């Protein structure tokens, strides 16, 4: 259900994006990682952020004790938000021709918000 997302060579890491492609809930193990699209996406709804200094059995027990229903909700949210991290265009046939599925709609949604909404998170 979970993918560990350790810090990379910097506080930013590709492992986060890989977790979405793997379809698992990211467990972010980087204290300094700034979440992409932060005020727009509800990161606590589909990820776990855990302090790097506390990577021990507490993390294992925490993940193990998340109720199955909550894991299903988080997994559904991961799937729903995967388009924010898909930077490669794929063409998928639909009932009315082709439709390109990329992060473009998500980015447009983010950038088309008034600047004040993005900066205040509202």
């Amino acid at each position: 259900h979970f993918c560990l997302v350790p810090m990379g060579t910097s506080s930013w890491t590709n492992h986060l994006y890989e977790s979405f492609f793997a379809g698992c809930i990211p467990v972010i193990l980087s204290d300094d990682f700034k979440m992409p699209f932060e005020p727009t996406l509800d990161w606590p709804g589909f990820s776990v952020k855990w302090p790097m200094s506390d990577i021990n059995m507490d993390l294992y027990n925490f993940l193990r004790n998340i109720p199955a229903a909550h894991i299903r909700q988080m997994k559904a949210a991961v799937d729903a938000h995967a388009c924010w991290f898909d930077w490669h265009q794929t063409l998928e046939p639909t009932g009315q021709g082709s439709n390109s599925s990329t992060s473009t709609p998500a980015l447009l949604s983010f950038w088309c918000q008034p600047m004040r909404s993005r900066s205040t998170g509202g």
Side-chain angles (χ1 to χ4, degrees):
H1 301 290
F2 301 97
C3 286
L4 299 180
V5 180
M7 184 175 79
T9 55
S10 67
S11 61
W12 187 87
T13 177
N14 281 331
H15 301 298
L16 176 65
Y17 302 95
E18 292 167 351
S19 70
F20 280 92
F21 298 135
C24 55
I25 299 163
V27 179
I28 301 153
L29 305 172
S30 177
D31 297 333
D32 298 324
F33 189 78
K34 302 294 182 215
M35 306 313 293
F37 316 113
E38 185 145 22
T40 302
L41 299 183
D42 175 30
W43 281 98
F46 58 88
S47 68
V48 173
K49 191 161 184 182
W50 195 265
M52 289 186 338
S53 61
D54 291 333
I55 300 172
N56 52 37
M57 288 302 291
D58 291 341
L59 172 60
Y60 172 77
N61 291 327
F62 177 83
L63 296 175
R64 190 163 185 238
N65 289 316
I66 297 175
H70 188 62
I71 290 173
R72 284 191 297 274
Q73 289 173 340
M74 292 177 80
K75 169 65 172 118
V78 164
D79 295 342
H81 291 89
C83 71
W84 286 82
F85 304 95
D86 181 5
W87 296 90
H88 300 283
Q89 183 174 353
T90 59
L91 296 177
E92 298 176 4
T94 63
Q96 301 174 3
S98 295
N99 182 26
S100 64
S101 173
T102 69
S103 60
T104 304
L107 289 172
L108 287 174
S109 170
F110 176 74
W111 288 113
C112 290
Q113 294 177 34
M115 186 60 77
R116 189 163 39 123
S117 293
R118 285 198 311 250
S119 63
T120 62

